[in-house]
Amino acid sequence: MMKPVTAKGKMFEVGDFGAALLNILEDMEETRRNLEIAYKELKSLDKMKDEFLAMSSHELKTPLTSIISFVQLMLDGKLGKLSKQQKESLEVVSQQTKRLLDSANKISYVVKLESKKIEPMLENLQLRGLIQDTVKNAEQLAIQKKIVLTQRVTELPSIKADRGSLRDILSNLVDNAIKFTPEGGKVSIETEEGEDRILVKVKDTGIGIATENVPKLFTKGFQADHSVPGMGLGLVICKNLVESHGGKISVETELGKGSTFCFTLPKR
């Protein structure tokens, strides 16, 4: 049986099957338009959120820096003598305020990275030297937790990269590995040279990550273990910085047995 059907403003005569098909296509088109509108609204909200975070972190930095400065003056005895109890209390205030400032800086940094407001300053670098510096800087933290921190770095060609970005990537991954590894564990950095890329691995014998949580690792705010202080921004920073260099970052992990974070850098 033929019946008239209107589609896209035009009248057609089609059978029952054709009419049903045209109706389905109309519904699909309407769904597409609705999704497009929703996507634009979400993008607008996401932009507003980033602007709010950037403004909030900026507003926090000045008072926090002032608090740290005045607390340090008191700890140095420049504003009068302190009792042992007063000094210990101020040291706690100083540590917590520095944590807040560090969080504000990280939020601001992530917003700038995601909005592409930070461009890598490329120069010829020796990755081996940067890894050695990272290990040296992390040694004290490893010693405090009785963790064995080692490096196995092969001879590598120089690469074109941003020095500050690579420092951030390496320090975030190594600090995370130490933080999430129990006392007496091991953390190591290893490198491999491929035909067109360099691979860096940061291995630990830590708590590992549940399989269902792996896809959330590189998203803002995710923490594998909420008992460890942090805002869950370190891996987001690493992902953005690695990708800005044309590389990729991934993880191999097993709950209770540790994790290996790997990132690649192209040989340019």
Side-chain angles (χ1 to χ4, degrees):
M1 177 181 176
M2 303 299 286
K3 59 176 69 175
V5 174
T6 302
K8 294 190 175 181
K10 295 181 180 180
M11 186 75 74
F12 297 90
E13 284 195 356
V14 295
D16 290 341
F17 176 76
L21 185 59
L22 283 170
N23 285 331
I24 290 170
L25 290 171
E26 281 287 310
D27 289 342
M28 288 174 66
E29 178 63 20
E30 186 179 354
T31 301
R32 186 196 65 78
R33 286 195 298 266
N34 289 337
L35 285 172
E36 199 171 76
I37 291 166
Y39 175 73
K40 287 177 180 177
E41 288 175 351
L42 283 171
K43 282 206 76 170
S44 177
L45 287 170
D46 194 52
K47 186 180 178 183
M48 287 170 63
K49 176 206 68 180
D50 285 346
E51 288 172 354
F52 172 76
L53 286 172
M55 182 179 67
S56 300
S57 59
H58 178 74
E59 291 297 319
L60 281 169
K61 287 179 191 178
T62 302
L64 288 173
T65 303
S66 297
I67 292 168
I68 291 168
S69 298
F70 278 111
V71 169
Q72 193 58 52
L73 283 173
M74 288 187 277
L75 285 171
D76 292 341
K78 293 179 180 178
L79 299 178
K81 191 174 180 181
L82 299 173
S83 67
K84 184 182 177 183
Q85 189 176 10
Q86 288 172 328
K87 194 168 184 179
E88 287 173 352
S89 298
L90 281 172
E91 282 171 350
V92 173
V93 172
S94 178
Q95 288 170 5
Q96 296 303 316
T97 309
K98 285 175 181 176
R99 273 188 60 196
L100 281 172
L101 182 60
D102 181 58
S103 296
N105 284 330
K106 279 185 176 176
I107 291 169
S108 177
Y109 194 31
V110 168
V111 171
K112 287 178 181 176
L113 282 172
E114 292 190 336
S115 60
K116 311 298 181 188
K117 289 182 179 177
I118 298 177
E119 289 291 330
M121 300 287 289
L122 302 180
E123 58 179 298
N124 287 318
L125 294 175
Q126 289 292 335
L127 189 56
R128 187 174 190 171
L130 286 173
I131 291 173
Q132 288 169 342
D133 289 345
T134 302
V135 170
K136 187 176 180 180
N137 292 334
E139 273 177 353
Q140 196 55 44
L141 182 60
I143 289 168
Q144 288 171 7
K145 288 193 69 177
K146 299 176 182 174
I147 287 170
V148 178
L149 178 60
T150 59
Q151 57 179 307
R152 190 163 64 87
V153 184
T154 55
E155 287 290 340
L156 298 168
S158 64
I159 57 170
K160 270 197 175 297
D162 181 283
R163 186 180 298 273
S165 295
L166 290 192
R167 278 194 180 128
D168 284 344
I169 296 164
L170 290 165
S171 62
N172 270 310
L173 292 179
V174 172
D175 287 352
N176 265 4
I178 294 171
K179 276 199 301 183
F180 292 101
T181 299
E183 283 194 7
K186 295 178 181 178
V187 172
S188 67
I189 308 180
E190 300 175 7
T191 61
E192 292 177 17
E193 183 183 353
E195 186 177 338
D196 59 355
R197 53 98 179 122
I198 290 169
L199 174 67
V200 182
K201 298 180 180 180
V202 178
K203 297 182 177 182
D204 67 62
T205 57
I207 60 174
I209 301 145
T211 305
E212 64 271 20
N213 287 332
V214 171
K216 307 173 193 173
L217 269 181
F218 298 98
T219 58
K220 283 179 280 192
F222 177 76
Q223 280 277 77
D225 183 355
H226 292 287
S227 66
V228 179
M231 293 188 67
L233 294 176
L235 290 177
V236 178
I237 290 171
C238 289
K239 183 176 185 293
N240 275 279
L241 292 177
V242 168
E243 290 178 354
S244 74
H245 282 74
K248 293 181 180 179
I249 187 166
S250 60
V251 62
E252 297 170 7
T253 183
E254 188 175 346
L255 194 62
K257 292 190 177 180
S259 305
T260 300
F261 282 87
C262 309
F263 69 92
T264 60
L265 295 169
K267 288 161 64 176
R268 295 194 248 250

